[in-house]
Amino acid sequence: MVAPPIAPESPELPTGRRKFSPPFLTRVLLAVAGGVLVYLSFPPRPLWFLAPVGFALLAWTIHRRRARAGFGYGLLFGLGFMVPLLRWTGEFVGLIAWLPLALACALMISIGTTAMAAVSRVPGWPLWAALLWVADEALRGVFPFGGFTWGKIAFGQPEGWYLPLASLGGAPLVSFAVVLTGFGLFWLLRNWKLGLPLVVVPLLVGFVVPVGVDPSGGTVTVAAIQGNVPRAGLDFNAQRRAVLDNHAKRTVELAADVAAGRAQQPDIVIWPENSSDIDPFRNADAAAVIDAAAAAIKAPIAVGAVVVDRNDNLPRNTVVLWEPGKGPTDTYTKRKLQPFGETMPMRSFFRLFAAEVDRAGVFQPGTDPEGFVMGPAKVALDTCYEVAFDSVVRDSVTAGATIIAIPTNNATFGYTEMTYQQLSMSRLRAVEHGRAVVVAATSGVSGIVEPDGSVTRKTGLFEPGALVATLPLRTQTTLATRLGAWPEWVMSAAGLVALALGFTRRRKDSNGAAA
């Protein structure tokens, strides 16, 4: 890949302040290395502290540069970050999905770094640059194709000191704190008296913020079932009813363990997304299998299934509430669909490049955020991809949920890091909304997450399992839940104001030089 054009050096800093100006090739390498360090901070590695270091390198490359240099170095930073992070997207479909998506994400990042370079001359630059990063993440949450939020910096921090900040301002505040710390590290080289607070304060605040875990709404005993799939990849469900039979079998085995006193009796059971690989409303044999499993475990089951609507004959990614002796009593339809998977934007255009685009679905989204009343719990349901979107999860919690369930199917991504990245999002959501989270995956990793974000139980990959735990039901709402998108809006607006000031300052400097 040819490196994008980089602007010439900007004028020297005011007298008495040292200017750190690495050579061009060094800046290129620093930009790429910064992105790689941010990638390495993401799960499954517990190296959360590498993210600020990566942003310190980014700051070194773009500070006091022209806007087009900010674009070029930002693109390199974005590629260093997104190419390895999104490797899972090409596990079974090849480069056609992976590299174009990584490039698109890197280009979106470069929009933010262009703005950061443009405000380099505004006093307090690390603060404004960190706010602009939040604005850039907000943009990536809605554009293109409805947004792709994978790679939010907050999602790499489940092990870090910043995590409690999610209960105050959600994922945007965590991202802001991490980036501000990184830019503060760079600022230490210029003025340690100003740089030190930028590094210490975000860490200190995150370290001391309390996270509520008390069971104000009682407790519930939950079972998350991981039945496994016959094979990894896009054809995980090619063998009719095999996935459903696996989950029913593991549920019946759990029922036997309960009867023998080896396991607790669950109040509710969560099956994964696509755990019924055939429509139980159209296939009597599938319905009979689920009926038998619910009767054996003596608890309601949330069953993930692809259901074909009888009106338009189009599929919905659905969770069905299946109760013992009653059968299906309620449904939830996934609201945020995955582009290039469940849907295919610009299908006719992309078909010009690869016939595989027609493997993408024609799923229809739901609109209702209401989850299920299951036993003593009001369960929020956020299916797979939905956990990556702030507003989707918040809407399901504000509908009255006392616990969150994340049914997911990661079999199509094999043994890649995708499932660990997704689990880290669930951990952030637990703290953000003060709710326990139950992750049920067809092939792993399934997990039990406490309201403080800690994982108390989890499975391995591509193995059957049943996780049983008694979890707190919580009725209190965190400040982040109450504020919703306001922290992100305010931080983004502040960053854009700084951008306007930066352009004004540059215009005045240019006019003064011309005079």
Side-chain angles (χ1 to χ4, degrees), residues 223-231 236 241-254 269-277 408-411 439-446 459-467:
I225 302 297
Q226 179 174 307
N228 205 7
V229 296
R231 62 186 64 82
F236 75 95
R241 224 185 72 184
V243 179
L244 172 59
D245 287 347
N246 284 353
H247 285 83
K249 176 185 177 183
R250 190 63 188 87
T251 303
V252 171
E253 290 173 351
L254 175 61
V269 179
I270 308 296
W271 281 11
E273 175 188 32
N274 303 148
S275 50
S276 180
D277 47 357
T408 183
N409 172 31
N410 300 332
V439 180
T442 49
S443 57
V445 169
S446 301
T459 64
L461 283 172
F462 292 97
E463 62 183 29
L467 304 176

Side-chain angles (χ1 to χ4, degrees), residues 131 134-135 138-139 142 169 172-173 390-391 394 483-497:
L131 291 170
V134 174
L139 177 62
V142 295
L173 184 59
D390 299 350
S391 62
R394 179 180 180 271
L483 292 176
W486 275 103
E488 183 175 57
W489 292 343
V490 170
M491 287 188 283
S492 298
L496 294 176
V497 168

Side-chain angles (χ1 to χ4, degrees), residues 339-425:
F340 305 98
E342 292 165 317
T343 63
M344 186 65 215
M346 302 171 60
R347 187 183 297 265
S348 58
F349 171 75
F350 284 109
R351 191 182 291 120
L352 297 174
F353 305 97
E356 288 83 2
V357 299
D358 286 322
R359 300 193 69 174
V362 290
F363 282 76
Q364 303 302 299
T367 57
D368 188 358
E370 285 277 348
F372 297 155
V373 175
M374 300 178 70
K378 176 67 180 293
V379 182
L381 293 161
D382 297 294
T383 304
C384 194
Y385 186 61
E386 292 185 315
V387 73
F389 291 86
D390 299 350
S391 62
V392 174
V393 181
R394 179 180 180 271
D395 287 347
S396 63
V397 172
T398 56
T402 54
I403 193 172
I404 300 172
I406 311 292
T408 183
N409 172 31
N410 300 332
T412 52
F413 304 113
Y415 288 88
T416 66
E417 294 180 358
M418 181 271 183
T419 189
Y420 301 103
Q421 295 171 10
Q422 190 182 63
L423 180 60
S424 74
M425 298 177 193

Side-chain angles (χ1 to χ4, degrees), residues 209-267:
V209 168
V211 177
V213 296
D214 58 296
S216 56
T219 62
V220 63
T221 300
V222 182
I225 302 297
Q226 179 174 307
N228 205 7
V229 296
R231 62 186 64 82
L234 297 174
D235 297 323
F236 75 95
N237 60 351
Q239 186 177 336
R240 186 184 185 278
R241 224 185 72 184
V243 179
L244 172 59
D245 287 347
N246 284 353
H247 285 83
K249 176 185 177 183
R250 190 63 188 87
T251 303
V252 171
E253 290 173 351
L254 175 61
D257 289 339
V258 170
R262 294 187 295 268
Q264 288 178 279
Q265 169 64 52
D267 299 310

Side-chain angles (χ1 to χ4, degrees), residues 158-179:
E159 301 285 350
W161 286 8
Y162 303 99
L163 182 62
L165 294 173
S167 66
L168 301 180
L173 184 59
V174 177
S175 292
F176 169 74
V178 174
V179 178

